[in-house]
């Protein structure tokens, strides 16, 4: 990995920052943020992480198509997967993954209304 390639920790911080601005703020950087996550997770030997990468690819397609119901469903799925991934994490990453899982689930719920 070269110095211009984001790490999982960098990507996690960027995602939490984007989601802290609400859905509109997150939407503005969603495509590049998703690309970063997909790249990081696809290289993993962990099946759970590669499954998240595939769901992120699905979300990217739903965002491009503008299907709110599918976006909401995908965000909900990602929230669950992220919360589950926290159980295998270490250190400060555990809390950040829990925060991300909650933020994704919250975003999914916002889109339902």
């Amino acid at each position: 990995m070269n110095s211009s390639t984001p790490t999982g920790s960098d990507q996690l911080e960027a995602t939490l920052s984007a989601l802290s601005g609400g859905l509109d703020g997150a939407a503005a950087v969603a495509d590049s943020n998703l690309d970063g996550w997909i790249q990081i997770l696809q290289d993993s030997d962990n099946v759970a992480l590669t499954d998240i990468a595939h769901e992120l690819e699905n979300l990217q397609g739903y965002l491009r198509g503008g299907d709110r119901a599918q976006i909401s469903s995908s965000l909900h799925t990602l929230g669950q997967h992220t919360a589950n991934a926290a159980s295998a994490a270490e250190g400060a990453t555990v809390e950040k993954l829990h925060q991300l899982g909650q933020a994704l689930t919250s975003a999914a719920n916002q889109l339902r209304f």
Side-chain angles (χ1 to χ4, degrees):
M1 182 180 316
N2 65 43
S3 62
S4 66
T5 304
T7 64
S9 180
D10 294 338
Q11 196 69 33
L12 183 55
E13 289 293 333
T15 303
L16 286 169
S17 177
L19 287 170
S20 72
L23 289 178
D24 291 336
V29 295
D31 206 44
S32 63
N33 198 305
L34 290 172
D35 284 340
W37 274 119
I38 291 166
Q39 180 183 357
I40 289 168
L41 297 174
Q42 280 181 334
D43 293 338
S44 174
D45 292 334
N46 183 321
V47 174
L49 297 181
T50 56
D51 286 347
I52 292 172
H54 292 298
E55 188 59 37
L56 289 169
E57 289 173 329
N58 291 339
L59 176 60
Q60 215 168 24
Y62 302 145
L63 287 168
R64 290 178 182 148
D67 186 334
R68 287 177 62 99
Q70 291 286 34
I71 294 168
S72 176
S73 177
S74 185
L75 287 170
H76 183 73
T77 298
L78 287 166
Q80 290 178 321
H81 287 319
T82 302
N84 291 341
S87 65
E90 299 176 358
T93 305
V94 172
E95 180 58 32
K96 289 181 181 184
L97 286 173
H98 279 294
Q99 289 174 1
L100 179 56
Q102 290 172 346
L104 292 167
T105 301
S106 176
N109 291 334
Q110 288 176 29
L111 286 172
R112 289 185 183 162
F113 300 105

